[in-house]
Amino acid sequence: METSGVEVNKKNIKEGQAEILLASEKVFYNPVQEFNRDLSIAVLSIFTEDYKSEQIARNLKKDKKVCENVFQDASGNNSEVPIIILEALSATGLRSIRYAKEVPNITKIVANDISKQAVETIQANIVHNNVEKLVETSHDDACMIMYKHKLPLKRFAAIDLDPYGCPSIFLDSAVQSIQDGGLLLVTATDMAVLAGNSPETCYSKYGAISLKTKCCHEMALRILLQCIESHANRYSRYIVPLLSISADFYIRVFVKIYSGAIHCKKTTSKLSMAYHCVGCDNITLQSMGGFKPNPSEKNPQQTKSYLPSGPPVNEFCQHCNQKHHLGGPIWSAPIHDEVFVSRILTHVQNNPQLFNTSKRIHGVLSMVREELETPLYYTLDKLFGRVHLETMPMLIMRSAILNAGYKVSYSHASKLSVKTSAPSHLIWDIVRTWAKTHPPKAAKLEADPVARFLLQQDIQNHIDLSERPDANPISRRDGQLRFQLNPAPHWGPGSRAVVNVGDEKISKAIRNQNKNIKRKQAEKREHSPTDEETRKKINNDNETTVV
């Protein structure tokens, strides 16, 4: 387990190369997000190099004389391309100051907050860290400052949105105020909504119905990506995901924004509806669109869009004979860029001293690089628990899938995940084969008709459960830190606008413990009468009844 490298006392916080002074307890700071900040710095370090190269190449293509107009940035370095970053919800300014000190090629950072007190704290921290030439403060509503930068010449190269809760209210302004090829970094911490606890609320916030499944964390990532894409499409723009992470209590996505109406037409082929079986938890995706070859003499590679026929499932599930719930739409295209992830991984490996959470970044990105592009995943505990079986060892399950000729990987979002290109009937055949040597208790099977129906189906595929060496992925074999354990008490999103550090921090769980029971007891308890005559009458009545 990797612990946080944050040093905290009542007056300052040290993280990375930044030191933050706390003038008030009402300014939000959460050390839990150090991994988030470290990863963002690593991503931006690679992105700024790519962005400069892309912009120079684009300018050269438009006009070869453009690059003669050299931009003089605030640090005194010559740069053909200005790289301006907006942190729309800055709070203490820690993230912006770390960007200024640790990310190369930056021209300017705008640290914005709607709280005047927060802006004063940010300004003091900027001076304290000697980054006045790179970081400037802004006291404005996050949406308004982005709307003010909609014009192409005023747009930001990168925008970081790390709100408390749902980010969707900021997305409309964000997708309009970012340069072509710019980077949008978005965090969402309302995981209960995204993970299926409130499908109606999820639809109202993100435009998609969430499903309560074991793969809910990847589902949350894909719901957020389709939400960003839908906002971008309204302005003839589209996204290219570079990295999508589920960690701790939040999700974090890094996407590039580009313009092009013709590319927006391809969005339907990147989105799918999800049919979720209520019995066996199997999910079947239905693409919302597709493209098929339509060659011509002038363009042999020409394609034509089409609408798929559906639904892809019958009224009842083919595996367990139960009904389906409908969810989505979700992003069903790739959620990572493997080449980009590899470059981040190399950067972190070459500079471990720059990141306190370097071991965790290395472990998570190694898993991400190994992940299949296949959407969603199974989990061992759900698969075998559904039919009351002893859980099969992970390496045997992975070996069985490989022996059948299909690919398999973990998901970084779950320790017991099985992400595979194999069809669902093969997975259930593996479960049925395991049941022959590890049968469930007869009483449990008798009481559960769904489990009984699942296990009674014929095995249609030859299943080989012999273990093979390549079933153990490199990240697991090397003992990398793939899944972070909670390193401290009250490890969570914290409360709004509170410095979530120190011994005086009271856990919300402890504060609200048994609150409903206490309330009901208070309602039932007989209260003492306030009226003096009523109290005397009760006392007299009590005295007369004594024998």
Side-chain angles (χ1 to χ4, degrees):
M1 181 183 70
E2 187 169 25
T3 57
S4 171
V6 181
E7 295 181 17
V8 179
N9 60 40
K10 290 185 177 180
K11 294 186 178 180
N12 62 68
I13 297 166
K14 291 182 180 179
E15 184 181 292
Q17 297 180 25
E19 183 177 32
I20 301 301
L21 303 177
L22 295 176
S24 168
E25 289 288 312
K26 294 184 179 180
V27 179
F28 185 86
Y29 168 73
N30 195 348
V32 176
Q33 295 275 34
E34 186 184 13
F35 170 74
N36 182 324
R37 289 184 281 269
D38 281 356
L39 182 61
S40 300
I41 288 167
V43 170
L44 281 169
S45 297
I46 303 300
F47 163 76
T48 53
E49 296 175 7
D50 293 350
Y51 180 78
K52 285 184 66 174
S53 301
E54 287 180 11
Q55 294 298 105
I56 291 171
R58 185 176 299 170
N59 290 339
L60 281 171
K61 190 175 181 180
K62 289 181 180 178
D63 186 354
K64 293 183 178 180
K65 295 182 179 180
V66 168
C67 287
E68 295 177 4
N69 301 322
V70 178
F71 182 87
Q72 185 78 13
D73 69 21
S75 62
N77 297 321
N78 289 333
S79 172
E80 295 85 357
V81 179
I83 297 179
I84 303 174
I85 297 176
L86 169 67
E87 187 190 1
L89 306 149
S90 196
T92 61
L94 171 61
R95 191 181 294 259
S96 291
I97 292 168
R98 287 198 64 188
Y99 287 171
K101 288 195 162 194
E102 301 174 41
V103 179
N105 303 314
I106 290 179
T107 305
K108 184 173 72 172
I109 300 169
V110 179
N112 177 76
D113 204 281
I114 198 170
S115 165
K116 185 177 180 181
Q117 190 175 35
V119 174
E120 292 172 355
T121 302
I122 295 167
Q123 185 59 48
N125 287 324
I126 290 171
V127 174
H128 181 71
N129 287 271
N130 298 315
V131 290
E132 300 96 321
K133 292 183 179 180
L134 282 178
V135 186
E136 69 175 40
T137 58
S138 168
H139 179 211
D140 205 344
D141 177 83
C143 292
M144 289 309 300
I145 189 173
M146 289 188 281
Y147 280 129
K148 291 173 185 176
H149 289 78
K150 288 198 309 180
L151 295 178
L153 292 177
K154 292 184 177 181
R155 290 175 181 171
F156 300 102
I159 297 177
D160 195 322
L161 296 174
D162 191 7
Y164 181 90
C166 177
S168 61
I169 59 174
F170 306 107
L171 295 179
D172 183 81
S173 52
V175 297
Q176 295 183 70
S177 55
I178 199 164
Q179 293 284 0
D180 243 25
L183 184 68
L184 182 59
L185 308 85
V186 184
T187 302
T189 62
D190 55 337
M191 291 303 293
V193 171
L194 286 164
N197 284 358
S198 183
E200 300 83 3
T201 304
C202 187
Y203 182 80
S204 66
K205 289 186 174 182
Y206 293 96
I209 296 173
S210 57
L211 296 169
K212 199 166 186 177
T213 72
K214 281 290 186 176
C215 59
C216 59
H217 292 96
E218 185 179 324
M219 181 80 75
L221 285 169
R222 294 181 180 277
I223 287 173
L224 177 56
L225 288 172
Q226 74 79 30
C227 184
I228 300 172
E229 174 81 348
S230 68
H231 282 281
N233 284 171
R234 295 164 195 168
Y235 306 100
S236 298
R237 311 196 84 181
Y238 63 98
I239 68 170
V240 176
L242 298 180
L243 176 64
S244 307
I245 294 292
S246 171
D248 301 322
F249 54 84
Y250 62 89
I251 56 174
R252 175 82 160 167
V253 298
F254 304 84
V255 300
K256 279 188 174 183
I257 305 289
Y258 288 99
S259 298
I262 192 169
H263 291 282
C264 294
K265 292 182 178 180
K266 299 177 182 178
T267 293
T268 53
S269 64
K270 302 174 186 176
L271 303 179
S272 295
M273 300 302 291
Y275 290 85
H276 174 226
C277 174
V278 299
C280 63
D281 205 42
N282 184 61
I283 294 179
T284 305
L285 296 182
Q286 167 71 69
S287 177
M288 297 183 69
F291 285 83
K292 59 185 178 182
N294 186 33
S296 63
E297 292 183 3
K298 292 184 179 180
N299 186 5
Q301 304 299 323
Q302 182 173 287
T303 59
K304 181 181 180 181
S305 63
Y306 69 92
L307 292 176
S309 58
V313 295
N314 297 322
E315 182 181 359
F316 297 99
C317 175
Q318 61 175 325
H319 306 297
C320 66
N321 204 37
Q322 300 299 301
K323 291 193 173 182
H324 296 86
H325 283 159
L326 179 63
I330 65 170
W331 180 268
S332 52
I335 61 176
H336 311 295
D337 182 327
E338 186 180 345
V339 175
F340 187 82
V341 171
S342 296
R343 293 174 62 201
I344 301 170
L345 191 54
T346 302
H347 176 70
V348 174
Q349 287 174 325
N350 293 338
N351 303 278
Q353 73 284 355
L354 299 179
F355 309 100
N356 287 324
T357 60
S358 60
K359 289 183 180 179
R360 187 181 182 193
I361 294 175
H362 183 268
V364 171
L365 294 188
S366 295
M367 289 198 71
V368 166
R369 195 168 56 173
E370 294 170 349
E371 273 188 28
L372 295 177
E373 292 183 355
T374 306
L376 308 179
Y377 53 84
Y378 304 92
T379 58
L380 282 188
D381 57 340
K382 181 66 177 180
L383 274 174
F384 291 89
R386 185 63 195 86
V387 289
H388 311 290
L389 292 178
E390 174 189 341
T391 303
M392 175 187 287
M394 177 61 80
L395 292 185
I396 295 180
M397 168 60 84
R398 290 170 61 92
S399 297
I401 295 171
L402 292 171
N403 289 333
Y406 295 96
K407 295 180 179 179
V408 64
S409 76
Y410 279 97
S411 167
H412 76 279
S414 174
K415 195 172 185 177
L416 295 174
S417 56
V418 177
K419 184 184 278 282
T420 178
S421 57
S424 55
H425 64 79
L426 176 74
I427 302 300
W428 283 112
D429 278 353
I430 294 173
V431 174
R432 295 181 191 111
T433 303
W434 179 257
K436 290 183 179 297
T437 54
H438 300 76
K441 292 183 179 179
K444 288 187 176 181
L445 206 58
E446 186 64 30
D448 190 344
V450 175
R452 193 166 62 250
F453 186 91
L454 279 165
L455 293 179
Q456 285 175 350
Q457 303 302 307
D458 294 332
I459 298 176
Q460 301 175 2
N461 300 276
H462 171 69
I463 304 299
D464 180 4
L465 298 181
S466 58
E467 193 171 328
R468 47 192 287 171
D470 58 344
N472 195 11
I474 296 175
S475 61
R476 184 175 183 270
R477 201 182 312 152
D478 293 346
Q480 295 173 7
L481 181 59
R482 302 177 304 155
F483 300 100
Q484 173 76 48
L485 298 176
N486 292 353
H490 321 315
W491 187 257
S495 53
R496 189 188 300 268
V498 168
V499 181
N500 187 21
V501 294
D503 297 333
E504 296 180 1
K505 167 68 181 171
I506 300 175
S507 165
K508 183 179 179 182
I510 294 175
R511 186 172 64 249
N512 292 336
Q513 195 171 35
N514 297 325
K515 67 176 184 179
N516 291 327
I517 295 174
K518 292 175 182 176
R519 177 177 55 78
K520 289 178 181 178
Q521 288 176 345
E523 290 173 355
K524 290 180 180 179
R525 191 181 300 119
E526 203 169 56
H527 295 282
S528 299
T530 55
D531 185 285
E532 185 68 23
E533 292 183 0
T534 305
R535 189 159 55 245
K536 287 181 179 179
K537 184 177 183 300
I538 292 173
N539 290 336
N540 292 334
D541 290 343
N542 290 337
E543 289 176 0
T544 57
T545 56
V546 174
V547 178

